[in-house]
Amino acid sequence: MNIANLLKIALKALNNNKLRCFLTMLGIIIGVASVITMLAIGQGSKNSIKEQISEMGSNMIMIHPGNMQRGGVRQSADNMQTLEVSDYEALQELPGIAAISPSVNSSGQLVIGNNNYPSSIYGITPDYLEIRKLKVKDGSMFTEHDIKSAAKVCILGKTVVDNLFPNGDDPIGRVIRFGKIPLTVIGVLESKGTNSMGQDQDDVVLAPYTTVMKRILAIDYIQGIFASATDEDHTEETIDAVTEVLRTRHKIKEDADNDFEIRSQQELSQMMNSTSDMMTVLLACIAGISLLVGGIGIMNIMYVSVTERTREIGLRMSIGARGIDILSQFLIEAVIISVSGGVIGIFVGVLASWLVNVIAHWPVYIQLYSVVLSFAVCTITGVFFGWYPAQKAANLDPIEAIRYE
Protein backbone atom coordinates (compact mmCIF):
# COMPACT_ATOMS: atom_id res chain seq x y z
CA MET A 1 0.00 0.00 0.00
CA ASN A 2 1.49 3.35 -1.00
CA ILE A 3 1.91 6.42 1.20
CA ALA A 4 -0.94 8.35 -0.47
CA ASN A 5 -3.47 5.63 0.38
CA LEU A 6 -2.15 5.32 3.93
CA LEU A 7 -2.45 9.10 4.33
CA LYS A 8 -6.07 9.05 3.11
CA ILE A 9 -6.96 6.24 5.52
CA ALA A 10 -5.26 8.06 8.42
CA LEU A 11 -7.04 11.36 7.66
CA LYS A 12 -10.40 9.56 7.37
CA ALA A 13 -9.86 7.85 10.73
CA LEU A 14 -9.00 11.15 12.39
CA ASN A 15 -11.98 12.85 10.74
CA ASN A 16 -14.30 10.25 12.27
CA ASN A 17 -13.13 11.29 15.76
CA LYS A 18 -12.75 15.07 15.45
CA LEU A 19 -13.28 15.99 19.10
CA ARG A 20 -10.96 13.28 20.41
CA CYS A 21 -8.36 14.27 17.83
CA PHE A 22 -8.58 17.96 18.84
CA LEU A 23 -8.33 17.22 22.57
CA THR A 24 -5.24 15.08 21.92
CA MET A 25 -3.78 17.84 19.78
CA LEU A 26 -4.48 20.39 22.53
CA GLY A 27 -1.71 18.99 24.72
CA ILE A 28 0.82 19.51 21.92
CA ILE A 29 -0.55 23.00 21.15
CA ILE A 30 -0.18 24.09 24.79
CA GLY A 31 3.28 22.52 25.05
CA VAL A 32 4.68 24.18 21.91
CA ALA A 33 3.07 27.54 22.72
CA SER A 34 4.46 27.40 26.29
CA VAL A 35 8.02 26.65 25.13
CA ILE A 36 7.99 29.48 22.57
CA THR A 37 6.47 31.98 25.01
CA MET A 38 8.76 31.09 27.93
CA LEU A 39 11.90 31.24 25.78
CA ALA A 40 10.72 34.56 24.27
CA ILE A 41 10.26 36.04 27.76
CA GLY A 42 13.66 34.73 28.91
CA GLN A 43 15.50 36.00 25.84
CA GLY A 44 13.64 39.30 25.98
CA SER A 45 14.70 39.92 29.57
CA LYS A 46 18.29 38.98 28.69
CA ASN A 47 18.36 41.46 25.78
CA SER A 48 16.80 44.14 27.99
CA ILE A 49 19.52 43.64 30.62
CA LYS A 50 22.22 43.84 27.93
CA GLU A 51 20.77 47.11 26.59
CA GLN A 52 20.59 48.67 30.05
CA ILE A 53 24.14 47.63 30.91
CA SER A 54 25.28 48.99 27.55
CA GLU A 55 23.59 52.31 28.38
CA MET A 56 25.54 52.40 31.64
CA GLY A 57 28.79 51.79 29.72
CA SER A 58 29.51 48.20 28.75
CA ASN A 59 33.30 48.70 28.77
CA MET A 60 33.36 50.68 32.02
CA ILE A 61 36.01 49.90 34.64
CA MET A 62 35.50 50.92 38.29
CA ILE A 63 38.43 51.26 40.69
CA HIS A 64 37.80 51.64 44.43
CA PRO A 65 39.92 51.38 47.59
CA GLY A 66 40.04 47.78 48.85
CA ASN A 67 39.51 46.29 52.29
CA MET A 68 42.78 46.02 54.19
CA GLN A 69 43.94 44.63 57.49
CA ARG A 70 45.89 46.96 59.72
CA GLY A 71 46.98 45.78 63.13
CA GLY A 72 44.87 42.66 62.73
CA VAL A 73 41.70 44.71 62.13
CA ARG A 74 40.00 44.63 58.73
CA GLN A 75 39.04 48.15 57.73
CA SER A 76 36.15 49.11 55.47
CA ALA A 77 36.91 50.38 51.98
CA ASP A 78 35.00 53.57 52.89
CA ASN A 79 37.72 54.43 55.42
CA MET A 80 40.62 53.68 53.11
CA GLN A 81 42.64 56.45 51.48
CA THR A 82 44.67 54.39 49.06
CA LEU A 83 43.72 56.23 45.85
CA GLU A 84 45.22 59.61 45.05
CA VAL A 85 44.85 62.16 42.29
CA SER A 86 48.35 61.15 41.10
CA ASP A 87 47.03 57.59 40.54
CA TYR A 88 44.35 58.99 38.26
CA GLU A 89 46.93 61.08 36.39
CA ALA A 90 49.22 58.05 35.95
CA LEU A 91 46.40 55.90 34.56
CA GLN A 92 45.59 58.60 31.98
CA GLU A 93 48.77 57.59 30.16
CA LEU A 94 47.69 53.98 29.58
CA PRO A 95 47.02 53.26 25.87
CA GLY A 96 44.00 51.03 26.64
CA ILE A 97 42.12 53.82 28.40
CA ALA A 98 39.65 55.77 26.24
CA ALA A 99 38.32 58.00 29.02
CA ILE A 100 39.01 58.29 32.74
CA SER A 101 37.66 60.30 35.65
CA PRO A 102 38.34 60.44 39.39
CA SER A 103 35.29 60.21 41.62
CA VAL A 104 34.39 61.67 45.00
CA ASN A 105 30.86 61.93 46.31
CA SER A 106 28.80 63.13 49.21
CA SER A 107 25.15 62.94 50.21
CA GLY A 108 23.24 65.92 51.51
CA GLN A 109 20.35 68.31 51.16
CA LEU A 110 19.92 70.47 48.07
CA VAL A 111 18.12 73.75 48.73
CA ILE A 112 16.78 76.60 46.62
CA GLY A 113 14.22 79.00 48.04
CA ASN A 114 11.49 77.01 49.78
CA ASN A 115 12.31 73.80 47.90
CA ASN A 116 14.75 71.16 49.11
CA TYR A 117 15.64 67.64 48.05
CA PRO A 118 18.05 65.00 49.44
CA SER A 119 20.49 63.74 46.82
CA SER A 120 24.12 62.89 46.13
CA ILE A 121 26.76 65.06 44.51
CA TYR A 122 29.51 63.45 42.45
CA GLY A 123 32.84 65.12 41.83
CA ILE A 124 34.10 64.06 38.41
CA THR A 125 35.70 65.32 35.16
CA PRO A 126 34.01 65.82 31.73
CA ASP A 127 35.22 62.32 30.70
CA TYR A 128 32.66 60.89 33.15
CA LEU A 129 29.90 61.70 30.67
CA GLU A 130 31.50 59.52 27.99
CA ILE A 131 32.17 56.69 30.46
CA ARG A 132 28.58 56.59 31.79
CA LYS A 133 26.94 57.42 28.43
CA LEU A 134 25.48 60.66 29.77
CA LYS A 135 24.58 63.76 27.72
CA VAL A 136 24.00 67.38 28.64
CA LYS A 137 20.54 68.33 27.38
CA ASP A 138 20.49 72.02 28.33
CA GLY A 139 23.35 74.36 29.19
CA SER A 140 26.94 73.15 29.08
CA MET A 141 29.47 70.94 30.85
CA PHE A 142 32.05 72.48 33.17
CA THR A 143 35.55 72.96 31.76
CA GLU A 144 39.11 72.08 32.75
CA HIS A 145 39.44 75.65 34.03
CA ASP A 146 36.51 75.04 36.37
CA ILE A 147 38.28 71.92 37.65
CA LYS A 148 41.58 73.73 38.27
CA SER A 149 39.85 76.60 40.08
CA ALA A 150 37.43 74.33 42.01
CA ALA A 151 34.58 76.41 40.63
CA LYS A 152 31.23 76.35 42.40
CA VAL A 153 29.26 75.00 39.44
CA CYS A 154 27.16 71.90 38.90
CA ILE A 155 25.08 69.84 36.45
CA LEU A 156 21.69 68.50 37.57
CA GLY A 157 19.86 65.28 36.68
CA LYS A 158 16.19 65.45 35.66
CA THR A 159 14.87 64.04 38.97
CA VAL A 160 16.73 66.74 40.91
CA VAL A 161 15.43 69.45 38.55
CA ASP A 162 11.83 68.22 38.91
CA ASN A 163 12.08 68.36 42.71
CA LEU A 164 13.91 71.66 43.06
CA PHE A 165 12.01 73.45 40.29
CA PRO A 166 8.50 71.92 40.45
CA ASN A 167 6.96 74.90 38.61
CA GLY A 168 9.01 74.23 35.50
CA ASP A 169 11.41 77.17 35.97
CA ASP A 170 14.62 77.13 33.95
CA PRO A 171 17.39 75.97 36.33
CA ILE A 172 20.27 77.25 34.18
CA GLY A 173 22.03 80.11 35.93
CA ARG A 174 20.20 79.57 39.23
CA VAL A 175 22.18 79.14 42.45
CA ILE A 176 21.38 76.16 44.69
CA ARG A 177 22.95 75.18 48.00
CA PHE A 178 24.45 71.82 48.85
CA GLY A 179 24.70 72.06 52.61
CA LYS A 180 26.29 75.47 53.03
CA ILE A 181 28.05 75.54 49.66
CA PRO A 182 26.38 77.64 46.88
CA LEU A 183 26.57 76.09 43.42
CA THR A 184 25.57 77.69 40.12
CA VAL A 185 23.63 75.37 37.81
CA ILE A 186 25.25 75.45 34.36
CA GLY A 187 23.61 72.39 32.77
CA VAL A 188 20.91 69.73 32.91
CA LEU A 189 21.50 66.08 31.98
CA GLU A 190 19.39 64.17 29.46
CA SER A 191 17.05 61.75 31.24
CA LYS A 192 18.15 58.09 31.44
CA GLY A 193 15.48 56.63 33.76
CA THR A 194 16.17 53.67 36.03
CA ASN A 195 18.84 51.05 35.40
CA SER A 196 18.51 47.24 35.53
CA MET A 197 18.83 47.31 39.33
CA GLY A 198 16.04 49.85 39.77
CA GLN A 199 18.36 52.77 40.56
CA ASP A 200 17.25 56.22 39.38
CA GLN A 201 20.04 57.42 37.09
CA ASP A 202 18.56 60.95 36.98
CA ASP A 203 18.86 61.50 40.73
CA VAL A 204 22.35 62.96 40.54
CA VAL A 205 24.33 66.19 40.78
CA LEU A 206 27.68 66.46 38.99
CA ALA A 207 30.42 68.95 39.89
CA PRO A 208 34.19 69.31 39.35
CA TYR A 209 35.95 66.73 41.53
CA THR A 210 38.20 69.44 42.98
CA THR A 211 35.12 71.35 44.16
CA VAL A 212 33.74 68.34 46.03
CA MET A 213 37.14 67.39 47.43
CA LYS A 214 38.14 70.85 48.70
CA ARG A 215 34.89 72.70 49.38
CA ILE A 216 32.51 69.94 50.50
CA LEU A 217 34.49 66.95 51.82
CA ALA A 218 37.77 68.73 52.69
CA ILE A 219 39.90 65.72 51.71
CA ASP A 220 43.06 65.30 49.62
CA TYR A 221 42.38 61.79 48.26
CA ILE A 222 39.85 60.38 45.81
CA GLN A 223 37.22 57.76 46.58
CA GLY A 224 37.32 56.01 43.23
CA ILE A 225 38.28 56.11 39.58
CA PHE A 226 35.97 55.43 36.64
CA ALA A 227 37.51 54.50 33.30
CA SER A 228 36.41 53.26 29.91
CA ALA A 229 38.42 50.79 27.85
CA THR A 230 39.01 51.64 24.19
CA ASP A 231 37.31 48.38 23.20
CA GLU A 232 34.95 46.08 25.08
CA ASP A 233 36.92 43.04 23.88
CA HIS A 234 40.10 44.42 25.48
CA THR A 235 38.58 45.31 28.86
CA GLU A 236 40.38 42.46 30.67
CA GLU A 237 43.74 43.50 29.19
CA THR A 238 43.14 47.08 30.32
CA ILE A 239 42.25 45.89 33.84
CA ASP A 240 45.53 43.94 33.99
CA ALA A 241 47.46 47.05 32.91
CA VAL A 242 45.66 49.22 35.50
CA THR A 243 46.40 46.64 38.21
CA GLU A 244 50.10 46.60 37.32
CA VAL A 245 50.38 50.40 37.39
CA LEU A 246 48.60 50.75 40.74
CA ARG A 247 50.54 47.91 42.39
CA THR A 248 53.78 49.53 41.27
CA ARG A 249 52.73 53.00 42.44
CA HIS A 250 51.49 51.69 45.81
CA LYS A 251 54.69 49.61 46.28
CA ILE A 252 52.73 46.41 46.90
CA LYS A 253 54.87 43.28 47.30
CA GLU A 254 54.39 40.29 45.00
CA ASP A 255 52.71 38.10 47.61
CA ALA A 256 50.61 40.93 49.13
CA ASP A 257 46.95 41.66 48.39
CA ASN A 258 45.91 44.73 46.43
CA ASP A 259 44.84 47.78 48.43
CA PHE A 260 42.30 48.53 45.70
CA GLU A 261 39.48 46.71 43.93
CA ILE A 262 38.71 46.73 40.22
CA ARG A 263 35.30 45.85 38.81
CA SER A 264 33.99 45.98 35.27
CA GLN A 265 30.54 46.04 33.70
CA GLN A 266 31.44 42.76 32.00
CA GLU A 267 31.38 41.03 35.39
CA LEU A 268 27.92 42.44 36.06
CA SER A 269 26.80 41.53 32.55
CA GLN A 270 28.06 37.94 32.90
CA MET A 271 26.38 37.54 36.29
CA MET A 272 23.05 38.92 35.02
CA ASN A 273 23.24 36.82 31.83
CA SER A 274 24.01 33.70 33.87
CA THR A 275 20.98 34.32 36.08
CA SER A 276 18.81 35.09 33.05
CA ASP A 277 19.97 31.94 31.23
CA MET A 278 19.23 29.82 34.30
CA MET A 279 15.71 31.26 34.54
CA THR A 280 15.15 30.72 30.80
CA VAL A 281 16.21 27.08 31.03
CA LEU A 282 13.99 26.60 34.08
CA LEU A 283 11.00 28.14 32.27
CA ALA A 284 11.71 26.04 29.15
CA CYS A 285 11.90 22.85 31.24
CA ILE A 286 8.59 23.63 32.91
CA ALA A 287 7.03 24.31 29.49
CA GLY A 288 8.67 21.15 28.12
CA ILE A 289 6.69 19.11 30.64
CA SER A 290 3.57 20.18 28.73
CA LEU A 291 5.05 18.65 25.57
CA LEU A 292 5.75 15.42 27.45
CA VAL A 293 2.18 15.32 28.75
CA GLY A 294 0.94 15.99 25.22
CA GLY A 295 3.03 13.08 23.93
CA ILE A 296 1.62 10.76 26.58
CA GLY A 297 -1.83 11.92 25.50
CA ILE A 298 -1.05 10.90 21.90
CA MET A 299 0.15 7.49 23.06
CA ASN A 300 -2.96 6.98 25.18
CA ILE A 301 -5.38 7.94 22.41
CA MET A 302 -3.54 5.88 19.77
CA TYR A 303 -3.56 2.89 22.13
CA VAL A 304 -7.34 3.29 22.57
CA SER A 305 -7.71 3.68 18.80
CA VAL A 306 -5.85 0.40 18.18
CA THR A 307 -8.09 -1.39 20.68
CA GLU A 308 -11.27 0.04 19.12
CA ARG A 309 -10.21 -0.83 15.58
CA THR A 310 -8.89 -4.32 16.23
CA ARG A 311 -11.49 -5.95 13.93
CA GLU A 312 -10.71 -3.39 11.20
CA ILE A 313 -7.02 -4.21 11.48
CA GLY A 314 -7.78 -7.94 11.23
CA LEU A 315 -9.88 -7.42 8.09
CA ARG A 316 -7.17 -5.30 6.43
CA MET A 317 -4.51 -7.89 7.20
CA SER A 318 -6.75 -10.74 5.97
CA ILE A 319 -7.07 -9.10 2.53
CA GLY A 320 -3.33 -8.57 2.14
CA ALA A 321 -2.28 -5.62 4.27
CA ARG A 322 1.22 -6.17 5.69
CA GLY A 323 2.37 -5.42 9.20
CA ILE A 324 4.43 -2.48 7.89
CA ASP A 325 1.27 -1.03 6.28
CA ILE A 326 -0.67 -1.18 9.57
CA LEU A 327 2.28 0.26 11.48
CA SER A 328 2.65 3.09 8.94
CA GLN A 329 -1.08 3.88 9.07
CA PHE A 330 -1.18 4.41 12.84
CA LEU A 331 2.20 6.11 12.87
CA ILE A 332 1.00 8.58 10.23
CA GLU A 333 -2.06 9.35 12.39
CA ALA A 334 0.18 10.09 15.39
CA VAL A 335 2.50 12.30 13.31
CA ILE A 336 -0.45 14.21 11.77
CA ILE A 337 -1.79 14.95 15.26
CA SER A 338 1.60 16.11 16.59
CA VAL A 339 2.61 18.12 13.49
CA SER A 340 -0.80 19.83 13.23
CA GLY A 341 -0.67 20.59 16.95
CA GLY A 342 2.87 21.91 16.51
CA VAL A 343 1.90 24.30 13.68
CA ILE A 344 -1.09 25.63 15.62
CA GLY A 345 1.08 25.82 18.77
CA ILE A 346 3.61 28.02 16.95
CA PHE A 347 0.92 30.54 16.03
CA VAL A 348 -0.51 30.43 19.56
CA GLY A 349 3.00 30.88 21.04
CA VAL A 350 3.75 33.91 18.84
CA LEU A 351 0.37 35.42 19.70
CA ALA A 352 0.87 34.75 23.43
CA SER A 353 4.33 36.37 23.32
CA TRP A 354 2.87 39.44 21.62
CA LEU A 355 0.09 39.67 24.23
CA VAL A 356 2.63 39.41 27.08
CA ASN A 357 4.53 42.32 25.55
CA VAL A 358 1.40 44.45 24.95
CA ILE A 359 -0.50 43.72 28.17
CA ALA A 360 2.23 43.06 30.77
CA HIS A 361 4.85 45.26 29.00
CA TRP A 362 7.49 42.58 29.48
CA PRO A 363 10.27 42.53 26.90
CA VAL A 364 9.99 39.49 24.62
CA TYR A 365 12.17 38.26 21.79
CA ILE A 366 11.20 35.21 19.72
CA GLN A 367 14.22 33.41 18.34
CA LEU A 368 13.99 31.16 15.29
CA TYR A 369 15.71 28.31 17.12
CA SER A 370 12.92 28.19 19.75
CA VAL A 371 10.29 27.77 17.01
CA VAL A 372 12.31 25.13 15.14
CA LEU A 373 13.25 23.31 18.36
CA SER A 374 9.69 23.15 19.72
CA PHE A 375 8.34 22.00 16.34
CA ALA A 376 11.06 19.34 15.99
CA VAL A 377 10.43 18.10 19.54
CA CYS A 378 6.66 17.83 18.98
CA THR A 379 7.24 15.88 15.73
CA ILE A 380 9.67 13.50 17.45
CA THR A 381 7.17 13.22 20.32
CA GLY A 382 4.47 12.12 17.87
CA VAL A 383 6.72 9.45 16.32
CA PHE A 384 8.06 8.26 19.68
CA PHE A 385 4.75 7.99 21.50
CA GLY A 386 2.88 6.77 18.41
CA TRP A 387 5.34 3.95 17.75
CA TYR A 388 4.28 1.57 20.51
CA PRO A 389 0.53 1.56 19.71
CA ALA A 390 1.33 1.31 15.98
CA GLN A 391 3.72 -1.60 16.61
CA LYS A 392 1.05 -3.32 18.73
CA ALA A 393 -1.43 -2.97 15.86
CA ALA A 394 1.07 -4.33 13.33
CA ASN A 395 1.77 -7.42 15.45
CA LEU A 396 -1.86 -8.45 15.86
CA ASP A 397 -2.79 -11.92 14.64
CA PRO A 398 -5.36 -11.47 11.80
CA ILE A 399 -7.56 -14.39 12.96
CA GLU A 400 -7.61 -13.24 16.59
CA ALA A 401 -8.21 -9.63 15.48
CA ILE A 402 -11.28 -10.60 13.39
CA ARG A 403 -12.69 -12.56 16.34
CA TYR A 404 -12.12 -9.61 18.73
CA GLU A 405 -15.33 -8.22 20.25
Side-chain angles (χ1 to χ4, degrees), residues 8 61 63 69 82 92 122 176 216 221-222 249 284 302 371 391:
K8 287 178 183 177
I61 299 169
I63 307 163
Q69 284 190 351
T82 57
Q92 279 183 303
Y122 290 83
I176 64 173
I216 296 176
Y221 60 91
I222 56 178
R249 286 188 52 78
M302 294 307 299
V371 176
Q391 187 67 42

Side-chain angles (χ1 to χ4, degrees), residues 1-3 5-7 9-10 13 298 302-303 305-306 309 312-314 316-317 320-336 382-396:
M1 193 176 290
N2 59 39
I3 296 295
N5 288 334
L6 289 172
L7 188 59
I9 294 169
I298 290 176
M302 294 307 299
Y303 193 83
S305 182
V306 169
R309 294 155 63 187
E312 176 194 329
I313 295 167
R316 289 185 184 281
M317 295 182 78
R322 298 168 298 166
I324 188 65
D325 297 325
I326 302 299
L327 185 144
S328 300
Q329 176 190 334
F330 282 91
L331 203 55
I332 287 171
E333 288 182 27
V335 171
I336 288 173
V383 174
F384 179 78
F385 285 100
W387 179 266
Y388 178 74
Q391 187 67 42
K392 182 178 182 295
N395 291 335
L396 284 175

